[in-house]
Amino acid sequence: MKTIVSGIQPTGAINIGTYLGSIKNFVALQQAHPDHHFFLFIADTHALTVPQDPVKLRQAIKELAAMYVACGINLKQTSLFVQSAVSAHQEMDVLLQSFAYMGELERMTQYKDKALKQTSGIRASLFTYPVLMAGDILLYDAEFVPVGDDQKQHLELTRTIAERVNHQFPDFFNVPKPLIPELTARIMSLQNPDQKMSKSDPNVKSKILLTDDAAIIKKRIRSAVTDSEGTIRYDANSKKGLSNLIRIYAALENRTISDIVKRYETSDYQTFKADLGDLVASHLEPIQARYHSLLKSQELIDILNDGQAGAEALAIKKVQRFKKKLGLGLNR
Ligand code: AMP
Ligand code: TRP
């Protein structure tokens, strides 16, 4: 069975950067590969790399699960589950710690960025996080891993770890390929187009949440930072803000950048922004309706239980085989 694996951390409301950079591509990828099974999870253990309020964390897990389903994940082709519920992830993490090197982890830019923002109490799990992530992927012998640009380095490390294990135990892991979308790998903040749109940005005007209502969405886009040139054209260097909006437009309509630029070449920013506001709001409307009904339903719990069983069926066996290869236990 060929597999696709991905996960997102339940660490706050989901914005259109995460949606366009990852979730929307999950759906497209499933359609393009109907013979691949998708192991999709809520990466809750990863969230513990920084302090969390347990009540908020549990709520965020539920919200992310509902959002995955609302965004159109094909459940017939997917095992959707909560990472911590499948303890093989923790076991694989421990085993792979012995196949990753300190120097490799020290080079991870996300670790360096996050550690720099903290003055004390940097958790060991923040440092070893890429190993847990490698385990998430290798447990299912993923063929593809769809992620945004910021996960590229972690995927490279996953491949290195897989190759290192395979060197000792030939063909034990499939070496996964990252799938990073070209157009939407980095959706930028609406207020500062030099920074990516981020869950952790405290400025609410910098992003559009998938749960924002139409009035807010239109307002956020109207106030998005652009430039004073007044001409609608794509230039990711000198017109970062407008180009970011053009990418959002093109991604939502599944069109190319030049299609959109051509359509608006004689328009002004105000018209373009108003149309984009309508487009985002109408795209999100059915997702929001499904999301709110799922959150209250037993259906979501059933989906997660089924997903957990599907994931465990594969993951437990893989861990057992790995332990045996490594010479652990007595294998009676
Ligand atoms: P996060 O929302 O940071 O937990 O990331 C979840 C997934 O969405 C990862 O694959 C990220 O690479 C991707 N992602 C997050 N923010 C963005 C963004 N602004 N643009 C594109 N992809 C993103
Ligand atoms: N580290 C990823 C993020 O922060 C989430 C993640 C955890 C993940 N495990 C994964 C993504 C495995 C893809 C595959 O976005």
Side-chain angles (χ1 to χ4, degrees):
M1 180 174 64
K2 294 209 170 178
T3 60
I4 302 170
V5 172
S6 201
I8 297 179
Q9 294 191 40
T11 44
I14 304 154
N15 61 56
I16 56 162
T18 305
Y19 175 67
L20 294 175
S22 71
I23 306 180
K24 186 167 180 287
N25 300 311
F26 298 167
V27 178
L29 193 62
Q30 285 196 296
Q31 286 163 356
H33 298 277
D35 59 330
H36 283 48
H37 191 78
F38 192 13
F39 290 93
L40 175 62
F41 57 90
I42 295 110
D44 60 344
T45 314
H46 276 93
L48 296 183
T49 51
V50 293
Q52 301 290 344
D53 170 340
V55 175
K56 287 191 185 144
L57 179 59
R58 191 158 293 129
Q59 180 62 20
I61 292 170
K62 217 171 149 193
E63 288 174 1
L64 180 54
M67 197 49 98
Y68 278 143
V69 179
C71 288
I73 297 299
N74 178 357
L75 291 167
K76 289 201 187 85
Q77 220 183 314
T78 307
S79 298
L80 173 63
F81 60 99
V82 182
Q83 180 191 32
S84 64
V86 179
S87 49
H89 286 252
Q90 268 77 42
E91 282 195 78
M92 194 51 116
D93 176 22
V94 172
L95 300 175
L96 291 179
Q97 296 286 335
S98 300
F99 289 86
Y101 300 150
M102 297 291 287
E104 289 168 340
L105 296 175
E106 278 161 5
R107 280 197 290 279
M108 294 292 120
T109 53
Q110 198 174 65
Y111 166 71
K112 287 193 275 189
D113 290 349
K114 287 196 178 176
L116 261 181
K117 286 187 193 143
Q118 297 173 45
T119 44
S120 63
I122 298 167
R123 297 183 174 191
S125 58
L126 186 67
F127 185 65
T128 59
Y129 151 123
V131 184
L132 175 61
M133 178 161 167
D136 297 337
I137 296 166
L138 300 178
L139 260 180
Y140 304 97
D141 283 306
E143 187 75 15
F144 300 122
V145 184
V147 283
D149 189 55
D150 59 356
Q151 297 301 316
K152 200 170 161 184
Q153 203 186 20
H154 296 153
L155 255 297
E156 276 158 18
L157 181 64
T158 300
R159 289 171 57 89
T160 302
I161 292 175
E163 280 159 2
R164 192 167 289 146
V165 171
N166 287 352
H167 186 71
Q168 193 177 354
F169 309 110
D171 299 325
F172 187 74
F173 286 128
N174 189 59
V175 182
K177 294 178 202 66
L179 284 185
I180 297 167
E182 230 174 275
L183 191 64
T184 54
R186 249 176 113 71
I187 296 295
M188 308 313 273
S189 152
L190 299 179
Q191 290 301 308
N192 178 358
D194 284 315
Q195 269 174 18
K196 78 161 200 169
M197 187 182 288
S198 165
K199 270 181 193 164
S200 56
D201 191 334
N203 182 355
V204 291
K205 290 164 99 183
S206 71
K207 51 195 156 189
I208 293 168
L209 304 182
L210 296 192
T211 47
D212 279 341
D213 65 30
I216 297 273
I217 292 171
K218 290 176 195 181
K219 193 165 125 189
R220 297 279 181 262
I221 292 179
R222 230 183 294 127
S223 62
V225 170
T226 49
D227 56 75
S228 55
E229 191 195 49
T231 316
I232 298 197
R233 61 184 183 87
Y234 189 84
D235 185 335
N237 294 317
S238 68
K239 291 169 78 73
K240 287 185 179 151
L242 187 74
S243 298
N244 189 41
L245 298 180
I246 294 173
R247 285 200 301 277
I248 295 173
Y249 200 126
L252 285 174
E253 278 215 335
N254 297 315
R255 294 196 180 269
T256 63
I257 288 171
S258 57
D259 285 343
I260 307 305
V261 171
K262 228 174 264 160
R263 195 186 304 167
Y264 285 96
E265 63 193 353
T266 57
S267 281
D268 52 25
Y269 290 3
Q270 206 186 347
T271 311
F272 172 71
K273 281 178 161 180
D275 285 2
L276 178 59
D278 288 340
L279 178 65
V280 176
S282 64
H283 187 92
L284 294 184
E285 198 184 81
I287 293 177
Q288 292 173 352
R290 178 95 172 100
Y291 170 77
H292 289 298
S293 85
L294 273 162
L295 261 188
K296 291 178 286 195
S297 74
Q298 176 61 30
E299 189 190 349
L300 188 64
I301 308 300
D302 295 341
I303 291 170
L304 291 170
N305 286 338
D306 283 356
Q308 180 183 336
E312 276 174 341
L314 231 78
I316 292 173
K317 277 195 216 131
K318 190 79 188 177
V319 170
Q320 280 170 349
R321 283 182 48 219
F322 195 31
K323 283 186 174 171
K324 199 167 170 182
K325 285 264 183 218
L326 291 167
L328 294 175
L330 288 173
N331 285 317
R332 279 167 295 171

